[in-house]
Every structure is written in structure tokens, then in C-alpha cells.
Amino acid sequence: MNPKIYESYRDLSSNILISENKDNAYERHFHRNIELIYVRSGMMEAVINGSEYQFHKDEIIFVPSYFTHEFSTPEHSDVLVLLIPYEILSDFNDFFKEKQLNPFLGDREYNCKIREVLELLLKMRAYNNQYVLKGFINIIFGLLINRYPLIYIRNNSNSNVIIQILTYIEENYHNPISLESIAARFNYNKYYISHLFRQYVGENFKNYINTIRIQHVISQYKQEPETNISAIAMRCGFNNMPTFYRTFKEICNMPPKDFFS
């Protein structure tokens, strides 16, 4: 089972982000920020909360908060990617309490109006005036709600708990962390924490932490290729090298020496 990686760094930013991406591809992940992708040309494939989609020119991908998603481009894609902090949408909270937009927004002719606003937003990003950018977001969501129906979604009351735990792990992965220590810190039964991981992350607690640590090992080694991999592994929370080598091979399907060669 592939873990659903929580990207806490996205949720730590309160800024609206918009960018142009070509041949967009991203492994399975989730975040609280809402994500909207406009396909300007080509085709993208996506898996959103377990459902498979194909998106073509002038179609929109909408990813609600906490929905797991992954993207791939078989041949070519040119897209606009908009990341919206959850709190920015305070004007629409009443709409999104129990309902959300469908991930597939396929009225191509109507979507061209939204593309015009996105293109303007892209030009305005250099000014980094969040009040101005929020005005564009209100227009975009006003257009979306005017055209597309909302669908009912299950309200997960435990989502804030798991996000707090995942954020803590992201900030403390280099320190000793156990199910017991997390349960004590957040005042929950360890079996309840284990259940939350299975439900929201799709991975057990230990494997998730090891995955996060391996990701940081890879990232730090790319930044410091002259540094001994053992030193980086210990810095990232592994307390001995046999455990690191075994874990690396389990997660990356190859030993470190082959991966970094």
C-alpha cells in the first residue's frame, strides 16, 4: 500500500499560490489547502480519493481539502495550478460545510471564463498583494458555484487531530518518536492514534515515520552529495545503519548505493 503523504509545508503557508506547469506529475499526497488545476493543453491523468480521471484541454481539476490525489502526464500537459489556503475561503464556508465541488469540472466553454481570471491572477502574483489575490479567488469560486452543483461529502471530525499529529511528525522526524509518545503528547489512546493513521493516511504509524525520514534523507543528500549517507541518515532520525538500509530498501525497492549511484 502506498502511503498518502501529508504535505504539511503547503498548509503552513497562508499565501495564495499560482503557477504554470508543463507535463505535471505528482505522487500521492494530501493537504488542507484546496487545489485547482486548469488544463490549457494536452491531457492529465489523476487519482482523487481513489477515483480515476482524465482531464483534457479547458477542463478543471478540483481537489477539496484533505482529498488524497496524484497526477501524471502520459505525453504532454500545460496547466495552471492554483493552491488556496483553506482560511482564504471564509466567504464560502457556508457552502462547503458538508458539500464540495466535484473533482471533474468539464464544461469547457464555460471554463474559458475561469481561465481568463486565472491568467489575470497569474499576472498579478508578482505584486503579492493577498487582498487583491483574494478578490480574484472570490470571483473564481463565484463562477464555479454559479455553474457547477455541489456534492455531499462525509464530514471527518477527526481530521484536525490527524493533521496536528502529522505536522508534529514533520517538524520532529529527526527525534525519537513512538506511538506511545505521540499518544501521550496529544492525550489519546495509542490504539486510537493507530486507527487514525490507518483511516486517514493509509499506512501504519511506524512505516509512515520511516517514509518521512527516508524522504528527508534523499532530499538532504541531493543538497549535500559530499556528505556521508550514514551521517545524513542519523541526522534524519535513524538510530542505526542496519535499520536505515533495511527501511530504505523496503520503501525505495533498492539499496541506497544503487539509488544514489
Side-chain angles (χ1 to χ4, degrees), residues 13-185:
S13 173
S14 60
N15 291 334
I16 298 165
L17 301 175
I18 184 168
S19 62
E20 300 174 282
N21 288 339
K22 295 188 184 298
D23 302 331
N24 196 30
Y26 218 101
E27 294 182 350
R28 184 182 304 179
H29 64 289
F30 67 98
H31 40 72
R32 192 175 188 226
N33 287 356
I34 291 171
E35 188 166 357
L36 186 149
I37 299 177
Y38 191 105
V39 181
R40 295 195 290 193
S41 67
M43 186 269 281
M44 274 184 56
E45 295 179 344
V47 180
I48 303 173
N49 253 25
S51 297
E52 297 181 359
Y53 301 89
Q54 285 190 350
F55 297 89
H56 299 83
K57 184 178 184 297
D58 293 322
E59 294 176 341
I60 295 175
I61 306 168
F62 181 80
V63 184
S65 297
Y66 304 125
F67 275 41
T68 58
H69 51 289
E70 57 186 294
F71 305 120
S72 61
T73 297
E75 294 183 3
H76 168 71
S77 66
D78 176 12
V79 302
L80 291 171
V81 179
L82 177 64
L83 284 167
I84 311 162
Y86 184 83
E87 54 270 20
I88 290 292
L89 293 174
S90 57
D91 296 341
F92 295 93
N93 281 346
D94 288 341
F95 286 95
F96 295 144
K97 280 183 179 178
E98 296 181 346
K99 297 183 288 185
Q100 279 289 355
L101 290 162
N102 194 296
F104 181 86
L105 305 176
D107 187 335
R108 298 181 184 181
E109 182 177 355
Y110 185 87
N111 288 348
C112 288
K113 301 176 184 179
I114 298 170
R115 174 176 177 169
E116 292 176 4
V117 183
L118 287 168
E119 297 282 5
L120 285 172
L121 180 59
L122 184 68
K123 294 177 181 178
M124 294 296 295
R125 66 177 177 172
Y127 297 99
N128 199 30
N129 186 320
Q130 292 298 307
Y131 294 103
V132 173
L133 299 184
K134 184 178 184 297
F136 281 95
I137 298 301
N138 287 341
I139 294 172
I140 290 169
F141 272 82
L143 289 169
L144 289 171
I145 292 172
N146 181 64
R147 169 60 185 86
Y148 294 103
L150 299 178
I151 59 174
Y152 283 93
I153 60 172
R154 185 175 61 184
N155 184 20
N156 293 318
S157 59
N158 295 322
S159 58
N160 286 336
V161 175
I162 194 67
I163 293 304
Q164 290 176 25
I165 293 172
L166 295 177
T167 299
Y168 177 83
I169 291 173
E170 181 64 31
E171 294 173 350
N172 296 276
Y173 66 89
H174 51 282
N175 296 321
I177 299 177
S178 67
L179 188 60
E180 290 76 13
S181 67
I182 289 291
R185 180 176 183 84

Side-chain angles (χ1 to χ4, degrees), residues 73 88 125 201 204 241 252 254:
T73 297
I88 290 292
R125 66 177 177 172
V201 184
N204 70 46
M241 293 313 293
C252 299
M254 65 179 71

